[in-house]
Amino acid sequence: MATSSPPSSTASLCFPATSAAVTTRSSFHLTNSSNNTFLRCRRSRHLTRLKVRKSVIRSDLDRDVSDMRTNAPKGLFPPEPEHYRGPKLKVAIIGAGLAGMSTAVELLDQGHEISFSEWFMSKGGTRTSIQRMWDPVAYALGFIDCDNISARCMLTIFSLFATKTEASLLRMLKGSPDVYLSGPIRDYIIEKGGRFHLRWGCREILYEKSANGDTYVTGLAMSKATQKKIVKADAYIAACDVPGIKRLLPSNWREWEFFDNIYKLVGVPVVTVQLRYNGWVTELQDLERSRQLRQAAGLDNLLYTPDADFSCFADLALASPEDYYIEGQGSLLQCVLTPGDPYMPLPNEEIISRVSKQVLALFPSSQGLEVTWSSVVKIGQSLYREGPGKDPFRPDQKTPVKNFFLAGSYTKQDYIDSMEGATLSGRQASAFVCDAGEELAALRKQLAAIQSIDNIGVDELSLV
């Protein structure tokens, strides 16, 4: 049975901060296991210097995990918007996505026009550095490599890590997002009087044109099994991903360049694999400890590697223990296969076999551990492909349709296509709705008057 080798020294990458005295250190921890390399991503605040130290392996189930219900990282949130004081509005949100943090970063306008590889090598970077370090990061961010991802996407992340000194630790959620992230948001919405129409699908956006040529939405045609209904509101927000918004938009709206540009965005396929073991895969220092099931052991962090098809992975039993650590069971590896294209046509059994072999190659000390449970999830179109030149096609949240708004991470906002970007887009959409409050209230009265006239006409006709 193979024995594990100790981790190598850790190299920290220091970025300049807004203060001359203090920087945010964003460190990709390079750790060798056999001949392979993987990276652990951590952040902390230190005086400006380059520091090399020996890495520490932790397996603490209580520290360094996030419960967004009580301990959200304050540094990543922009200021709360001003309290809305306009007329009361009824807002319908289609396909609402509930997510976490948000931030805004200003970048060079030209960043979206070239790939990160072009930008990086123009600054003196090397192809080896791209392949061994930055490709795994690009795969984790956008599911495509540095040759195909725009410089804007990567530079956004670098700017965030370099400037957000208040948020000094990158952490995983404590458990399931439904409990620790979207659940609290859902509860808040319900407490304020909002309602969720679960399992109802929006089949059609109903709309009309006014005499002056303005287009406005009159309702949403919804259905669930054999049930049908029309939902009416003062403002309609489509919070969708790229495939979802393409299916939802009326085909006639493509006459507007604003909406037609959305169809120039395409999604990236991705495959996520989960493997449960009867021991601790990432425990590198103590072979005996990796075989016991009394206490979790191994690398408690988000991990990156250039030596496997899953560039980004984590042991959820360690990094997100509340729901994924199970007494008497071992590691639950979640591996994101990027690019996902080669794996999409393969049967799940073949995917699990390939990933298991690559796990063993990364962690030879896991020789002899067995996979006790597995899961494969394939998504044909996930994030939109953030390639060079695609940024101008991202739409604003305000649309040419007076009472119809967009939200979603693909829309125009200063972050990448991610849950943080989705949250930021939602804030921007709500700001547009608030700004249009008086106009939307006037439109409501106008539509009510038209409806009243139509009803009178129907009644008179029925009496003839």
Side-chain angles (χ1 to χ4, degrees), residues 164-185:
K164 291 296 178 180
T165 57
E166 301 90 345
S168 59
L169 182 65
L170 179 66
R171 300 187 293 185
M172 303 283 284
L173 278 178
K174 189 175 183 180
S176 167
D178 184 57
V179 176
Y180 294 96
L181 183 59
S182 57
I185 300 174

Side-chain angles (χ1 to χ4, degrees), residues 68 70-79 101-102 164 166-167 171:
M68 299 289 284
T70 59
N71 193 28
K74 305 297 183 184
L76 291 180
F77 285 92
M101 304 164 289
S102 60
K164 291 296 178 180
E166 301 90 345
R171 300 187 293 185

Side-chain angles (χ1 to χ4, degrees), residues 241-272:
D241 56 10
V242 169
I245 193 62
K246 288 179 179 179
R247 290 193 299 268
L248 182 66
L249 292 175
S251 58
N252 290 343
W253 287 9
R254 293 191 67 175
E255 297 174 356
W256 279 296
E257 183 181 15
F258 177 94
F259 290 116
D260 190 58
N261 280 341
I262 294 175
Y263 293 83
K264 296 179 174 66
L265 303 175
V266 295
V268 181
V270 65
V271 179
T272 301

Side-chain angles (χ1 to χ4, degrees), residues 137-446:
V137 175
Y139 280 132
L141 294 178
F143 303 154
I144 51 180
D145 61 21
C146 291
D147 289 345
N148 292 288
I149 200 169
S150 75
R152 177 195 180 277
C153 180
M154 298 285 280
L155 294 176
T156 298
I157 294 298
F158 299 159
S159 297
L160 170 70
F161 274 66
T163 59
K164 291 296 178 180
T165 57
E166 301 90 345
S168 59
L169 182 65
L170 179 66
R171 300 187 293 185
M172 303 283 284
L173 278 178
K174 189 175 183 180
S176 167
D178 184 57
V179 176
Y180 294 96
L181 183 59
S182 57
I185 300 174
R186 179 188 62 239
D187 295 342
Y188 176 85
I189 292 173
I190 294 174
E191 181 184 336
K192 297 297 182 180
R195 290 182 297 165
F196 287 84
H197 301 266
L198 301 179
R199 302 188 184 280
W200 283 87
C202 181
R203 305 307 175 193
E204 184 182 1
I205 296 176
L206 308 176
Y207 67 97
E208 293 182 6
K209 280 190 176 182
S210 63
N212 62 4
D214 289 338
T215 300
Y216 52 85
V217 176
T218 58
L220 304 174
M222 312 287 289
S223 68
K224 180 173 69 172
T226 59
Q227 304 177 64
K228 296 182 179 180
K229 65 181 178 182
I230 294 177
V231 173
K232 293 182 176 291
D234 300 316
Y236 301 83
I237 302 176
C240 307
D241 56 10
V242 169
I245 193 62
K246 288 179 179 179
R247 290 193 299 268
L248 182 66
L249 292 175
S251 58
N252 290 343
W253 287 9
R254 293 191 67 175
E255 297 174 356
W256 279 296
E257 183 181 15
F258 177 94
F259 290 116
D260 190 58
N261 280 341
I262 294 175
Y263 293 83
K264 296 179 174 66
L265 303 175
V266 295
V268 181
V270 65
V271 179
T272 301
V273 178
Q274 289 187 343
L275 302 173
R276 175 75 75 175
Y277 287 85
N278 62 347
W280 302 101
V281 172
T282 65
E283 173 53 54
L284 303 176
Q285 293 183 325
D286 189 333
L287 187 62
E288 183 178 347
R289 194 166 181 237
S290 71
R291 298 308 192 259
Q292 55 79 38
L293 297 175
R294 299 182 305 276
Q295 183 182 12
L299 298 175
D300 175 4
N301 216 319
L302 187 64
L303 308 173
Y304 297 87
T305 179
D307 294 310
D309 291 340
F310 48 91
S311 58
C312 179
F313 64 106
D315 186 344
L316 295 184
L318 284 162
S320 190
E322 192 70 19
D323 291 324
Y324 303 114
Y325 171 77
I326 299 177
E327 187 175 354
Q329 299 188 30
S331 294
L332 177 61
L333 290 191
Q334 177 159 302
C335 308
V336 182
L337 295 169
T338 50
D341 309 68
Y343 282 89
M344 294 299 288
L346 297 181
N348 290 354
E349 294 77 12
E350 176 67 18
I351 295 174
I352 292 167
S353 175
R354 292 191 184 189
V355 173
S356 300
K357 291 178 181 177
Q358 293 180 41
V359 169
L360 180 60
L362 279 179
F363 300 96
S365 58
S366 66
Q367 177 75 40
L369 295 183
E370 297 178 356
V371 176
T372 60
W373 176 87
S374 60
S375 170
V376 176
V377 176
K378 299 177 181 179
I379 301 177
Q381 294 191 65
S382 56
L383 306 178
Y384 89 88
R385 188 179 294 272
E386 289 200 66
K390 293 297 183 182
D391 200 63
F393 301 129
R394 300 170 71 182
D396 285 323
Q397 290 77 34
K398 183 178 181 180
T399 79
V401 179
K402 295 184 66 172
N403 58 347
F404 183 75
F405 303 84
L406 299 176
S409 56
Y410 74 94
T411 61
K412 193 175 293 295
Q413 37 82 19
D414 289 329
Y415 201 62
I416 64 174
D417 189 358
S418 62
M419 72 177 194
E420 295 91 346
T423 304
L424 185 56
S425 78
R427 289 204 171 195
Q428 293 177 185
S430 65
F432 279 121
V433 172
C434 292
D435 289 344
E438 297 291 346
E439 185 179 6
L440 293 172
L443 179 61
R444 175 179 59 199
K445 294 178 181 179
Q446 177 186 339

Side-chain angles (χ1 to χ4, degrees), residues 447-457:
L447 295 178
I450 295 174
Q451 183 67 38
S452 177
I453 294 174
D454 290 343
N455 289 339
I456 292 174

